[in-house]
Amino acid sequence: MDYTEVLQQIAHELRPVIGQGQVASYIPELASVSPHHFGMAVVTIAGDIHTVGDAREAFSIQSISKLFTLVMALQLEGEKVWTRVGREPSGTPFNSLIQLEAENGKPRNPFINPGALVCTDILCTRYAVPENAVVEFLRPLSGNRNLHYNRAVAASERRTAHRNAAMAHLMKAFGNLSNDVDDVLDAYCRHCAIEMNCVELARAVVFLAHGGTHPEGQGDILNTSMAKRLNALMLTCGTYDAAGDFAFRVGLPAKSGVGGGIVAVMPGECGICVWSPALEPSGNSLAGSLALERFTTLTGRSIF
Ligand code: GLU
């Protein structure tokens, strides 16, 4: 399939909507990003790369990092992870405290903030500098040896991370956080501030389209069964409180972040990443969601 042609058509069709929506502003450093970017990349299992627009411009991956910290937590702890975090859609915003209190400090899934904080806690137990471990994990996967996190973005989020701090303290009170709350928050804000571009992110998720094995020689990242589970979680919980509608419209496992990036997986075929910073109200990139919807429509392919 000529994905380049498909991507060009999508970029052309979406021109009128790029910039519609709101750039995330609750993290002050992110508020200054132009809403007018649009980039998209497809990386196939065979290693072919197809791009359009700003596909090689780095952006803040934010919650997409939750996918990678979950992979690392699963590598370290296997099924034990599920004793501390569930795998049901939450039906609430990603930073809601109410459900966490009602459910005794066990987050519904690893992609809402408290669930991701549990994964970061697992990394804090294992690594002296957990954010560096995430960066080191992503360098070979993404093909970018210079991958790093943006210190200004991390500091900006850390200064304003009151809700995340409240969630972390609540989980600590329920006995579901092993490390010091401040250490977990520091590591969390830093891995959220990792910067990557669409090509790097599409490449970093292609193992999920390939039964958990990295096609370019990085070996088994997850076993087949865990890769299946991760894809299932992305489909049901990966796009905030709009995951049902997203599955309906797009039909691919995906994970989004408030930086405007969305990664998606076409099993047996390719990793995909789209970036456009302006978000719709549930927190997903507005143009990015539409682009993925057009992608599965134009190619006639999805997981269904
Ligand atoms: N670092 C962000 C936060 O915790 C990530 C949010 C997101 O991308 O969903 O609020």
Side-chain angles (χ1 to χ4, degrees), residues 27 30 57-69 72 123 129-139 142 144 146-155 157 186-197 200-201 204 257 259-261 275:
I27 300 173
L30 293 185
E57 183 149 341
F59 60 90
S60 194
I61 71 170
Q62 290 300 318
S63 270
I64 299 173
S65 66
K66 294 173 182 170
L67 179 60
F68 303 116
T69 51
M72 293 176 76
L123 301 186
V129 191
E131 60 275 21
N132 287 356
V134 181
V135 165
E136 292 297 335
F137 173 74
L138 281 171
R139 281 180 175 164
S142 65
N144 177 358
N146 299 317
L147 189 134
H148 62 276
Y149 67 89
N150 182 315
R151 286 169 193 274
V153 172
E157 176 173 4
D186 286 346
Y188 173 85
C189 292
R190 289 173 183 155
H191 70 62
C192 283
I194 288 173
E195 295 187 328
M196 293 170 78
N197 65 35
E200 291 161 359
L201 275 164
W275 171 54

Side-chain angles (χ1 to χ4, degrees), residues 34-277:
S34 162
H36 297 288
H37 291 289
F38 177 84
M40 192 164 179
V42 171
V43 175
T44 67
I45 286 170
D48 299 328
I49 299 173
H50 305 265
T51 64
V52 74
D54 302 325
R56 293 194 187 265
E57 183 149 341
F59 60 90
S60 194
I61 71 170
Q62 290 300 318
S63 270
I64 299 173
S65 66
K66 294 173 182 170
L67 179 60
F68 303 116
T69 51
L70 173 61
V71 171
M72 293 176 76
L74 287 169
Q75 287 179 335
L76 289 170
E77 306 239 314
E79 299 291 321
K80 248 178 68 189
V81 169
W82 308 120
T83 61
R84 296 179 57 188
V85 55
R87 51 222 190 201
E88 282 292 342
S90 72
T92 57
F94 65 97
N95 57 5
S96 166
L97 280 148
I98 297 167
Q99 196 170 54
L100 191 61
E101 163 81 19
E103 298 185 354
N104 303 318
K106 182 175 177 180
R108 274 284 175 102
N109 70 67
F111 294 150
I112 51 174
N113 285 13
L117 288 164
V118 168
C119 292
T120 307
D121 184 53
I122 290 170
L123 301 186
C124 289
T125 300
R126 171 65 179 75
Y127 298 105
V129 191
E131 60 275 21
N132 287 356
V134 181
V135 165
E136 292 297 335
F137 173 74
L138 281 171
R139 281 180 175 164
L141 266 195
S142 65
N144 177 358
R145 273 191 254 145
N146 299 317
L147 189 134
H148 62 276
Y149 67 89
N150 182 315
R151 286 169 193 274
V153 172
S156 163
E157 176 173 4
R158 186 66 182 90
R159 274 194 299 277
T160 54
H162 306 301
R163 292 192 76 88
N164 286 334
M167 283 182 262
H169 279 290
L170 194 54
M171 289 194 290
K172 185 87 179 168
F174 278 112
N176 197 13
L177 211 69
S178 307
N179 294 277
D180 183 74
V181 165
D182 286 323
D183 292 343
V184 176
L185 290 171
D186 286 346
Y188 173 85
C189 292
R190 289 173 183 155
H191 70 62
C192 283
I194 288 173
E195 295 187 328
M196 293 170 78
N197 65 35
C198 289
V199 175
E200 291 161 359
L201 275 164
R203 190 185 274 141
V205 298
V206 82
F207 74 94
L208 288 169
H210 196 234
T213 304
H214 194 259
E216 286 177 47
Q218 300 301 325
D220 290 344
I221 310 297
L222 292 177
N223 64 34
T224 311
S225 162
M226 280 202 192
K228 174 194 76 178
R229 291 171 178 198
L230 218 79
N231 281 325
L233 275 170
M234 287 166 75
L235 184 75
T236 53
C237 312
T239 44
Y240 303 116
D241 207 9
D245 192 53
F246 194 92
F248 179 86
R249 286 165 47 200
V250 176
L252 293 177
K255 180 74 201 90
S256 56
V258 295
I262 310 177
V263 291
V265 175
M266 181 93 81
E269 183 69 24
C270 58
I272 307 164
C273 179
V274 58
W275 171 54
S276 194

